[in-house]
């Protein structure tokens, strides 16, 4: 089931894309084909063939980018809002080749989505992976509030430690990879 906030994100980007003046200024960047870049994202909005390869040659002037896992498959997808064109959904359909973990935080003390929290994945024999919970980073866009960790070929997770926005810390053991987990403030152990 898709999360409500991801739906709201896509709807807001669709509405935003219809705003503003239509301008035909030359773009700063142009889209390259997968043959030129090796990129495996596919444009799923304007396609005419079964391979989901972009076939239009018009280049749009991008205004904002939102990043998140739209289809909850562990692969990061991209939504691009354009000043003078349709919203683009670049769905990552590369398939599950590596291990991953997506963490959604819930807090009732400071802010519901724990914006500003720091999430650390502790793995045996590896460096710690650290992410900050945020939705900012792009012009008039909001990223997925969940944090994503790419784990590579090593699926072992010793624990997930959360530094909540109010300064408290908790440790969550027995977290499995290749899934989306929800961690609630007050349900973990002190580190």
């Amino acid at each position: 089931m898709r999360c409500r906030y991801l739906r709201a994100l896509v709807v807001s980007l669709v509405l935003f894309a219809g705003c503003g003046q239509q301008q035909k200024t030359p773009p700063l960047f142009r889209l390259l084909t997968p043959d030129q870049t090796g990129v495996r994202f596919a444009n799923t909005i304007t396609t005419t063939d079964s391979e989901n390869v972009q076939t239009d040659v018009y280049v749009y002037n991008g205004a904002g980018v939102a990043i998140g896992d739209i289809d909850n498959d562990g692969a990061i997808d991209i939504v691009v809002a354009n000043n003078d064109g349709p919203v683009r959904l670049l769905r990552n359909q590369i398939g599950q080749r590596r291990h991953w973990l997506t963490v959604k935080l819930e807090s009732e003390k400071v802010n519901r989505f724990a914006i500003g929290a720091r999430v650390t994945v502790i793995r045996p024999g590896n460096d710690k992976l650290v992410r900050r919970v945020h939705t900012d980073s792009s012009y008039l866009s909001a990223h997925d509030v969940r944090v994503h960790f790419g784990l590579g070929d090593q699926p072992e997770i010793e624990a997930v430690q959360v530094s909540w926005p109010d300064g408290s810390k908790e440790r969550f053991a027995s977290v499995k990879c290749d899934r989306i987990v929800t961690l609630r403030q007050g349900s973990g152990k002190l580190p």
Side-chain angles (χ1 to χ4, degrees):
M1 182 169 141
R2 294 189 176 140
C3 297
R4 278 185 235 149
Y5 57 87
L6 285 177
R7 285 184 194 158
L9 166 74
V10 172
V11 168
S12 65
L13 285 174
V14 169
L15 294 174
F16 171 72
C19 300
Q21 296 179 327
Q22 295 287 324
Q23 50 184 331
K24 299 294 179 186
T25 57
L28 296 175
F29 304 98
R30 69 181 176 85
L31 298 173
L32 300 176
T33 65
D35 299 355
Q36 295 169 309
T37 64
V39 174
R40 297 187 194 279
F41 279 101
N43 175 357
T44 60
I45 293 178
T46 52
T47 60
T48 59
D49 58 31
S50 62
E51 296 295 319
N52 284 336
V53 177
Q54 180 176 336
T55 58
D56 61 341
V57 293
Y58 186 79
V59 178
Y60 296 98
N61 201 352
V65 173
I67 298 171
D69 187 359
I70 299 290
D71 50 5
N72 295 326
D73 65 351
I76 300 298
D77 306 303
I78 301 172
V79 177
V80 180
N82 293 292
N83 282 334
D84 56 355
V87 172
R88 300 290 182 132
L89 171 60
L90 304 175
R91 242 178 94 216
N92 188 343
Q93 296 179 316
I94 194 170
Q96 195 167 346
R97 296 186 180 175
R98 302 278 193 257
H99 297 287
W100 57 277
L101 175 68
T102 297
V103 178
K104 177 184 173 188
L105 298 181
E106 289 185 354
S107 173
E108 294 181 8
K109 294 182 179 181
V110 181
N111 62 73
R112 174 142 178 88
F113 298 116
I115 302 292
R118 192 174 60 219
V119 181
T120 304
V121 171
I122 302 166
R123 303 186 303 159
N126 289 301
D127 292 334
K128 295 176 182 179
L129 302 173
V130 181
R131 302 282 185 275
R132 179 179 61 94
V133 178
H134 66 97
T135 60
D136 58 339
S137 290
S138 185
Y139 177 71
L140 295 176
S141 301
H143 297 309
D144 191 347
V145 71
R146 303 172 300 179
V147 290
H148 177 86
F149 296 90
L151 303 176
D153 293 327
Q154 299 170 338
E156 299 84 17
I157 299 172
E158 183 178 312
V160 176
Q161 184 169 315
V162 178
S163 298
W164 298 95
D166 66 1
S168 64
K169 293 184 181 182
E170 287 181 283
R171 186 178 178 104
F172 299 84
S174 303
V175 176
K176 306 285 185 205
C177 72
D178 300 330
R179 65 193 68 209
I180 299 169
V181 298
T182 300
L183 304 178
R184 289 174 183 80
Q185 187 171 13
S187 64
K189 308 250 186 251
L190 295 176

